[in-house]
């Protein structure tokens, strides 16, 4: 069983910063792509940032230049540094990982439980 545990959400003023972390644990062979998604009330879940096992990153225009995704493969952890936060960044943020259970089984998508980020004065 693979688990993703997120931390680092909270309340921050506009213009502030937060850093989210997501650690993967359990029995698995490898972790391929990792990413962060968010879902605001009444809206669909959207991609915020993605990073491959080779450290290639991808961002939508809405966060480009403000958010930075990184990962520590030795710790099976992905991070999201969020700067210059805006009220429209308010959402529940979810960690995602595509995990191979064995060299022949997977990869499968796994999700964290979500962490609330609120940007408000």
């Amino acid at each position: 069983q693979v688990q993703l545990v997120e931390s680092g959400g909270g309340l921050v003023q506009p213009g502030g910063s937060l850093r989210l972390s997501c650690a993967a644990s359990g029995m698995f062979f490898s972790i391929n792509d990792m990413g962060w998604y968010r879902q605001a009330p009444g809206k669909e879940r959207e991609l915020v940032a993605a990073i491959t096992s080779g450290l290639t990153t991808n961002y939508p225009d809405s966060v480009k230049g403000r958010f930075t995704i990184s990962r520590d493969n030795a710790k099976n952890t992905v991070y999201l540094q969020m700067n210059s936060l805006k009220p429209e960044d308010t959402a529940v943020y979810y960690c995602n990982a595509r995990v191979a259970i064995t060299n022949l089984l997977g990869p499968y998508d796994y999700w964290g439980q979500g962490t609330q980020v609120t940007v408000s004065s």
Side-chain angles (χ1 to χ4, degrees):
Q1 183 73 6
V2 177
Q3 288 189 321
L4 302 180
V5 178
E6 301 149 348
S7 60
L11 173 64
V12 64
Q13 292 186 342
S17 298
L18 280 176
R19 188 188 194 215
L20 306 182
S21 300
C22 172
S25 63
M27 297 293 291
F28 51 85
F29 177 71
S30 67
I31 301 176
N32 299 348
D33 297 351
M34 302 186 82
W36 290 94
Y37 290 72
R38 67 186 179 189
Q39 188 165 20
K43 294 188 177 182
E44 294 185 353
R45 189 173 296 189
E46 63 175 356
L47 175 70
V48 174
I51 186 167
T52 68
S53 57
L55 306 183
T56 299
T57 59
N58 179 44
Y59 306 94
D61 288 343
S62 58
V63 307
K64 199 172 291 184
R66 300 188 298 123
F67 289 11
T68 302
I69 189 171
S70 61
R71 64 190 284 177
D72 184 335
N73 290 331
K75 295 181 179 180
N76 296 319
T77 299
V78 63
Y79 306 95
L80 184 67
Q81 178 66 44
M82 304 185 292
N83 299 328
S84 303
L85 282 161
K86 305 175 181 180
E88 51 263 42
D89 294 317
T90 296
V92 178
Y93 283 69
Y94 296 91
C95 171
N96 170 264
R98 289 186 59 75
V99 181
I101 304 303
T102 72
N103 61 333
L104 298 176
L105 194 61
Y108 302 113
D109 274 316
Y110 290 88
W111 294 89
Q113 79 282 2
T115 185
Q116 178 70 45
V117 171
T118 302
V119 184
S120 175
S121 55

